[in-house]
Structure formats: structure tokens, C-alpha cells
Amino acid sequence: MARTPDWDSRIGRRVTLSDLHTLFAVVEHGSMAKAGAHLGKSQSAVSQAVAAMEHAIGVRLLDRTSRGVELTTYGNVLLRRGRAAFDELRSGVNEIECLADPVVGEVRIACGELVSGGVLPAIIDRLLLQYPKVKLQVFETASRGMDCPELQERKVDVRLALLSGLLEGEPAKEFDTEVLYHDQICLAVGSESPWARRRKVDLAELVNAPWVAPSPETPGGAAIMEAFHARGLPPPQISVMATSLGLRNFLSMGGRFIVALPRSIVELYADRFALKRLPIEFPTQISYAIITLKNRSLSPAVERFIECAREVAKPLAKAKS
């Protein structure tokens, strides 16, 4: 009969949180020397810590090469499980802090530029008005759709995602996805624009006007091109092609340009950016969703953030309907 490993002595006493933290640093920086510099340890100390873990577990965690280090299959498992353990400890500390003081906490958010420059500021405003001691970290990500590596690696607590269509692809099994509201592309101008005084505007009138719009490869840009094509019109004169929501907002203020924006942005920031929505809209193209890791305990601060996101989304969903 095979002997049952004594995990309490092999793991609980020999693999410490400090050792796991060292392993994370080695993987992040790609070498023992760089990890040591980051941690304030010698390369020898880092190497000994990794070797001690390998001895305790009984497998090789890293392959050493002339180019640095790479995780083995065993190392990948320990890294994934170790991150989960650290995340649970971190969540436990946050929960204890919230029990001691219900209005504190931390929320780590991943989102793209269109969200961080759009609906996110409204959510943050609402949250911090109610809970001014909560701290937020916002990480801009290039991930699109249902791809959420930041959540899988537990680097963030929640992801605010912009999805094309009602829902982009099937939600991954490890994620919980909640669509906050559906949005559509609309056209806006600055309040000083001659177009701002028009009650009726036909798409054909805007062919030769200067535009600021996203690339045709984006959902918003594609919607605009399809609308002109459906009317048998030539494409509009796009003076500035820009994905940046901030740039589009600021260029709209001068009154020179027709600017393509999500309708929710105009609803939220019409006064701030002196925007006037034109009576032309395009079919629904985009949805805003909040994504969390399935079966992961959320701290009270994260739950409050999600609740504030829902509250901000309610009037935007009604405006669409």
C-alpha cells in the first residue's frame, strides 16, 4: 500500500508564503537576478528559495535556460493555485478591515479605454460619494470581448467589458457575466455647432461634413459605414479617425465636427462636454458588461462597486428603451 504523503510537513511547513511570493516574482521578471533586484534579495537567496520549494514538492518548477527561466507544467499548477491562495488571503484581510470599518476597502478594476473614459467615471463618482474611504485601482487592458486574463490571474476583482452585439461569444465557464445595459452609436456636435440648432437632420446632409469617428474595423465605425451604404450614400468625410473616447469628446466641444459616440456618453456628459445629440441613431451595436470570476468570494467593497455600476446603468438602459 502506497504511503500517504505527509502534506502538513512537506507543504505547510516547508513552502511558505514568502517562497510563493518569490516564485511569482521570478515568473514575472523572467530571471532570478531580476526577481532578486525587485525583492531586495540576492540572486543566490532567490535561487535557494525556489530550490527549497522544488525539494519540498518533489518536482522541478522552473526550467533554467540561457535566456532566463520558464515554468514547467508543475510550476504552472503551483503558480495558479498559489495565486488563488494569495487572493483568498487578501480577500480575507479586506473583509476583516470591512468588518472593523464598513466603509473601507479596495477594488481593482480592469477595463478598456472606451470604458475608463466613458461609464466608469460615473460609477466611481457614485461609489466615492457614498464610501469615500474606498480605494480603487484601474488597470487599462487591451483584452477584448470575453477574454479576461486579468481575472483568471486574480490581478483584478472585476472587469468592465465592452461587447459587440448583445453578447459577444459564449461566456467562459469560469466567469460570471452580467450585462449592465445595451448601447448604440449616435452622432453629437458641440453646442456652438450650426447643426445643434437643427431639429431634423438627414444622413445625406452629413456626407461632406467633417467627422471624428472610430475606425471602420470597430463596431461603432462599422455601424456608420453600413448606414451610409444602406442609403446608397458615399462614406462620410472622416477628418479624424480615433478610438480614443477622450479625444473624440474634446474635439466635439469646438463645434466643428460631427462626432460619433456611444449614446450613453452623451447622456452622461452632455453638460460637461457641451454636447448636443443629433436626431440620427444607428442600430444597437455594443453592450456593457461586468465580469467576475465564478465561485470567487467578493469583498464588500467590490459588491458595493457592482451595485453602483447597476445604479448608474439603470437610467441608461431606460434611455435606450
Side-chain angles (χ1 to χ4, degrees), residues 65-108:
T65 71
S66 59
R67 297 186 301 274
V69 296
E70 294 182 1
L71 280 170
T72 65
T73 302
Y74 308 113
N76 265 307
V77 171
L78 185 62
L79 185 74
R80 176 166 51 85
R81 297 291 188 177
R83 279 178 173 158
F86 263 84
D87 183 64
E88 286 299 319
L89 282 171
R90 179 184 166 281
S91 297
V93 171
N94 283 340
E95 191 167 342
I96 291 170
E97 289 177 347
C98 289
L99 288 172
D101 186 346
V103 298
V104 304
E106 180 187 52
V107 186
R108 299 171 300 168

Side-chain angles (χ1 to χ4, degrees), residues 50-320:
V50 173
M53 278 189 288
E54 291 177 327
H55 176 74
I57 299 173
V59 295
R60 181 175 289 276
L61 301 174
L62 298 171
D63 284 330
R64 285 77 163 170
T65 71
S66 59
R67 297 186 301 274
V69 296
E70 294 182 1
L71 280 170
T72 65
T73 302
Y74 308 113
N76 265 307
V77 171
L78 185 62
L79 185 74
R80 176 166 51 85
R81 297 291 188 177
R83 279 178 173 158
F86 263 84
D87 183 64
E88 286 299 319
L89 282 171
R90 179 184 166 281
S91 297
V93 171
N94 283 340
E95 191 167 342
I96 291 170
E97 289 177 347
C98 289
L99 288 172
D101 186 346
V103 298
V104 304
E106 180 187 52
V107 186
R108 299 171 300 168
I109 308 144
C111 62
E113 190 272 344
L114 288 177
V115 175
S116 66
V119 70
L120 181 58
I123 299 172
I124 291 174
D125 278 346
R126 179 179 287 266
L127 177 70
L128 294 184
L129 279 174
Q130 298 179 53
Y131 308 103
K133 292 183 181 179
V134 170
K135 305 298 181 184
L136 299 105
Q137 293 186 60
V138 180
F139 302 87
E140 289 207 0
T141 175
S143 301
R144 302 183 65 180
M146 298 303 300
D147 186 26
C148 304
E150 302 86 0
L151 277 176
Q152 290 171 315
E153 296 171 5
R154 296 177 179 249
K155 293 180 179 178
V156 299
D157 304 302
V158 64
R159 165 112 189 273
L160 285 176
L162 192 63
L163 309 177
S164 60
L166 296 184
L167 194 62
E168 188 173 280
E170 288 296 322
K173 292 181 179 180
E174 66 265 39
F175 299 137
D176 284 323
T177 302
E178 176 185 347
V179 174
L180 293 171
Y181 64 95
H182 303 303
D183 209 345
Q184 62 191 141
I185 299 298
C186 72
L187 302 181
V189 294
S191 59
E192 299 301 315
S193 170
W195 296 105
R197 296 186 287 274
R198 296 276 298 272
R199 289 190 175 184
K200 294 183 178 181
V201 179
D202 188 84
L203 202 60
E205 298 179 85
L206 303 179
V207 170
N208 296 316
W211 281 58
V212 178
S215 163
E217 284 74 38
T218 65
I224 294 167
M225 295 302 171
E226 289 169 6
F228 276 83
H229 179 74
R231 288 281 305 276
L233 298 170
Q237 300 296 315
I238 298 180
S239 301
V240 182
M241 187 176 294
T243 302
S244 169
L245 194 57
L247 179 61
R248 280 186 272 164
N249 283 338
F250 280 105
L251 287 176
S252 70
M253 297 172 67
R256 286 186 55 201
F257 300 102
I258 307 294
V259 183
L261 294 167
R263 179 171 175 170
S264 61
I265 303 305
V266 182
E267 297 284 343
L268 288 167
Y269 306 119
D271 293 339
R272 184 172 300 180
F273 291 102
L275 294 173
K276 175 68 182 295
R277 181 162 58 88
L278 297 184
I280 296 177
E281 294 178 348
F282 303 94
T284 299
Q285 293 290 324
I286 50 180
S287 302
Y288 292 82
I290 195 158
I291 305 174
T292 54
L293 198 60
K294 195 181 291 290
N295 299 323
R296 179 185 183 189
S297 298
L298 300 178
S299 71
V302 175
E303 291 176 344
R304 293 184 190 116
F305 174 84
I306 293 173
E307 183 56 38
C308 286
R310 292 173 181 147
E311 291 170 1
V312 169
K314 281 180 184 178
L316 299 176
K318 290 179 181 177
K320 168 62 181 66

